[in-house]
């Protein structure tokens, strides 16, 4: 299904005057979420940038129902909301809107439990690859080699692939998305909302102050992540895993842009040596090979 931008809903759910940083990738994603679900979504948001940019009550920079909850409880709260909808016969979508720290680290036990129960929840992890709200500390989603305030010479460990971990929970829907491809993200939200059970979307959302780039480059940085093969767009829907455009056209490594085109846009990678960049390229190749084998196995 191709989604035309001019046919997307025009009502704004991310309002002018919110306190997000200039060029915030998360807020681009939040706008698309509003277009896709509107008032049907009730958001469970743990401690994160998202819980701050709403502003102070009684005013709010977000025109959607929001529950701000403790770091580790977002998936559990969303499960309760979903069960309440069922008991009351109310139409709605319980949504977790959480960062990588609240998902892959502090909140992961509750996320895994909700997936194991197959709770009727749509969980969206907007991934800015560090704890940005508290000072740019590394998370398990911070890529290997990236600078943060707690990894000043570059993170030594590889990035955790939460989407694949949750796919292994045998849930009905898992996907990746990227703020540079809004129609793809919109379509995946709509598809996920049609499915009963646990749904997970990993949203790539660059952070200008945390990744050290000019705020005007947010979409370009996000797009380069896909074009260079760093971030792969894929979708697992009830047993079938497939790559989505433009990643589906990049299976041939020769069609991907050089990794340095992505790295050079960000100050957090300025310290890398040629050997470290070569190691990153090899790691990207291994990820592609693993995902392609997984897709083939899912078809068998």
């Amino acid at each position: 299904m191709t989604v035309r931008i001019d046919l997307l809903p025009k009502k704004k759910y991310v309002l002018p005057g919110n306190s997000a940083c200039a060029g915030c990738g998360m807020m681009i994603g939040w706008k698309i979420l509003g277009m896709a679900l509107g008032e049907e979504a009730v958001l469970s948001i743990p401690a994160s940038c998202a819980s701050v940019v709403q502003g102070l009550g009684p005013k709010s920079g977000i025109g959607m129902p929001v529950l701000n909850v403790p770091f580790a409880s977002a998936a559990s709260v969303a499960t309760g909301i979903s069960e309440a909808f069922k008991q009351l016969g109310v139409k709605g979508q319980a949504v977790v809107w959480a960062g990588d720290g609240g998902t892959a680290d502090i909140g992961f036990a509750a996320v895994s439990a909700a997936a194991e129960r197959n709770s009727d929840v749509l969980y969206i992890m907007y991934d800015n690859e560090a704890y940005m709200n508290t000072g740019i500390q590394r998370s398990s989603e911070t890529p290997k080699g990236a600078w943060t305030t707690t990894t000043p010479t570059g993170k030594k460990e590889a990035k955790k692939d939460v989407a694949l971990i949750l796919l292994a929970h045998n849930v009905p829907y898992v996907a990746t998305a990227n703020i540079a491809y809004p129609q793809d993200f919109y379509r995946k939200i709509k598809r996920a909302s049609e499915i009963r059970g646990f749904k997970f979307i990993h949203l790539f959302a660059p952070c200008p102050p945390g990744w050290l780039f000019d705020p005007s480059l947010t979409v370009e940085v996000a797009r380069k992540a896909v074009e260079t093969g760093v971030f792969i767009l894929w979708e697992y829907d009830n047993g079938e895993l497939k790559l989505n455009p433009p990643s589906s056209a990049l299976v041939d490594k020769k069609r991907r842009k050089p990794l340095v085109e992505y790295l050079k846009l960000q100050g957090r990678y300025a310290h890398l040596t040629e050997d470290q960049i070569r190691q990153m390229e090899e790691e990207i190749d291994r990820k592609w090979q693993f995902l392609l084998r997984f897709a083939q196995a899912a078809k068998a």
Side-chain angles (χ1 to χ4, degrees), residues 44-279:
S44 173
I45 299 180
S48 59
C49 295
S51 62
V52 174
V53 300
Q54 303 160 44
L56 300 175
K59 302 294 184 180
S60 176
I62 304 299
M64 305 174 77
V66 171
L67 281 81
N68 290 294
V69 302
F71 233 136
S73 66
S76 302
V77 171
T79 298
I81 293 170
S82 176
E83 290 300 317
F85 284 160
K86 292 177 186 177
Q87 293 295 322
L88 296 172
V90 174
K91 182 181 179 181
Q93 176 69 64
V95 178
V96 176
W97 182 259
D100 48 289
T103 302
D105 297 340
I106 298 172
F108 189 73
V111 177
S112 178
E116 185 269 334
R117 292 190 303 266
N118 199 29
S119 298
D120 190 16
V121 168
L122 170 56
Y123 197 110
I124 301 175
M125 177 183 75
Y126 68 87
D127 182 13
N128 52 28
E129 299 189 330
Y131 289 85
M132 300 306 183
N133 180 47
T134 54
I136 320 174
Q137 299 93 348
R138 62 89 85 190
S139 77
S140 61
E141 292 299 286
T142 302
K144 187 175 182 178
W147 168 91
T148 69
T149 55
T150 52
T151 58
T153 60
K155 186 181 173 220
K156 300 298 188 291
E157 301 80 18
K159 180 182 174 78
K160 181 191 292 185
D161 199 324
V162 178
L164 286 179
I165 293 171
L166 289 172
L167 188 150
H169 284 64
N170 197 32
V171 297
Y173 188 85
V174 180
T176 64
N178 183 304
I179 58 98
Y181 302 90
Q183 295 109 309
D184 179 68
F185 183 37
Y186 177 91
R187 181 189 62 78
K188 287 172 176 174
I189 295 171
K190 297 295 280 188
R191 174 57 186 151
S193 68
E194 297 169 351
I195 299 171
R196 295 294 297 273
F198 189 86
K199 294 84 60 174
F200 181 82
I201 300 177
H202 176 177
L203 177 66
F204 189 81
C207 171
W211 296 13
L212 306 178
F213 65 83
D214 186 275
S216 66
L217 298 176
T218 300
V219 173
E220 181 178 355
V221 170
R223 186 181 296 113
K224 280 290 192 294
V226 172
E227 293 175 341
T228 58
V230 171
F231 190 82
I232 308 170
L233 293 172
W234 58 268
E235 184 174 24
Y236 177 84
D237 190 345
N238 285 304
E240 180 183 1
L241 190 150
K242 60 183 178 182
L243 270 60
N244 307 118
S247 291
S248 54
L250 300 175
V251 174
D252 182 353
K253 181 181 176 181
K254 295 178 182 177
R255 304 188 69 174
R256 302 173 208 160
K257 293 184 177 181
L259 177 59
V260 292
E261 290 193 15
Y262 172 68
L263 301 178
K264 69 183 181 181
L265 295 174
Q266 306 165 64
R268 63 177 180 158
Y269 290 120
H271 61 280
L272 293 181
T273 65
E274 290 185 5
D275 186 59
Q276 288 174 311
I277 293 173
R278 180 186 56 77
Q279 292 177 25

